[in-house]
Amino acid sequence: MSAALGVKTKPTTTEPADDDSDISALINRLTAEVNRIAVDKTKSIQQITNQMKMLALNALIESSRAGAQGAGFAVVAQEVRGVGQQVETIARELETQLTKRTGDLVASIERMSQRSRGERMMDLSLNAVELIDRNLYERTCDVRWWATDSAVVDCAASPTPAAVSYASQRLGVILGAYTVYLDLWLCDLDGNVIANGRADRFRVVGQNVAQTRWFREAKTLHSGDDYVAGDVENQQLLGNAQVATYCASVRAGGQANGAPIGVLAIHFDWEPQARAIVQGVRVGDADKVRVLLVDSNFRVIAASDGQGILSERISLSLNGQRSGFYRDRTDTMIAFHATPGYETYRGLGWYGVIVCGT
């Protein structure tokens, strides 16, 4: 694994096109214009028929004054009046039907637009969680590789002052090339930190981490090919920084099937890396949208607005699905997608989530 894989892992999100929303808006405008024209024209027809009815009424009055001589004209006036009423009825029916049809069309377009937007938000949710999974897959490769480093193996086997000094130096060199880590810790099987890469910054040598979940799980790994992936947490020994810890067992002779002699823990500098991913998702209307990563307990572990990280839990209506979108009771659209994992990294049950306010 080359150093470049750990130095600059940047999200490659693409800005989604707004063609669908533009087309929907155009169709909505055109439909509204057709509806307005139809209403205006039917009203004009109604005005004309009203004039015809008024003329017919005047003609009837005049024919009655003319007596027998106006009888024939009265018949014509009655016919004109009847035609006017028929035209008025047709105009009203036309207005009613056009208004209903255009209203149905507008509603249908709105549903299509909302579905298109929801599917796009769901895809972007997948994009976000995929990017972090690919990043963290490399972390699992790093820890298993570095656990076979001869300086690490020798120090775990015999932690003499010279061996500790050399292992710390070696871990420091690694940290200089891989800027996505806060620190690397070599622990003995009792959970004591015996060497770290940034001893000048983090005085952790001598600290005991035996009660941490990641260490307990790392002690039970079956071979050097296995690893432990920890959930995001605030690590007190690293200045309470947000880290994702990855562990592998150090084995005798650096062999995958060798006897376990220690544990290597690498602490991924979570906050800036995760922030770059969620803020890199181009969703538009950024002031109304939150892009989130949440863990398997729906705890927010990254947020584009920087709020609620490691303290907020969101309510997701999954309905047994790994991906989807819906509107909650406040008419807020929520899109989500479960982690698909990447290569040998199965993921930790995390979700990409996008919350679109109204």
Side-chain angles (χ1 to χ4, degrees), residues 171-211:
L171 294 177
V173 170
I174 293 172
L175 287 171
Y178 288 76
T179 59
V180 296
Y181 295 106
L182 274 179
D183 205 2
L184 312 180
W185 297 352
L186 175 60
C187 309
D188 64 22
L189 293 179
D190 293 322
N192 298 306
V193 181
I194 58 177
N196 72 310
R198 290 198 169 115
D200 57 333
R201 181 177 172 186
F202 304 115
R203 300 185 180 277
V204 296
V205 171
Q207 297 288 337
N208 187 278
V209 294
Q211 298 307 311

Side-chain angles (χ1 to χ4, degrees), residues 47-119:
Q47 290 175 353
I48 294 172
T49 56
N50 285 336
Q51 291 175 351
M52 290 176 62
K53 288 160 65 177
M54 185 62 67
L55 290 172
L57 178 61
N58 289 334
L60 284 172
I61 293 172
E62 293 300 324
S63 66
S64 65
R65 289 176 180 173
Q69 294 179 351
F73 192 65
V75 173
V76 175
Q78 287 284 14
E79 289 297 324
V80 171
R81 186 177 187 181
V83 170
Q85 289 175 335
Q86 291 178 19
V87 172
E88 182 180 21
T89 300
I90 293 171
R92 286 176 177 172
E93 291 176 350
L94 177 63
E95 180 181 7
T96 299
Q97 291 179 10
L98 278 176
T99 301
K100 183 179 183 303
R101 295 295 189 274
T102 54
D104 290 344
L105 180 58
V106 169
S108 178
I109 293 169
E110 178 64 19
R111 287 193 297 270
M112 291 172 60
S113 177
Q114 289 298 323
R115 181 171 184 81
S116 175
R117 178 172 171 79
E119 289 175 347

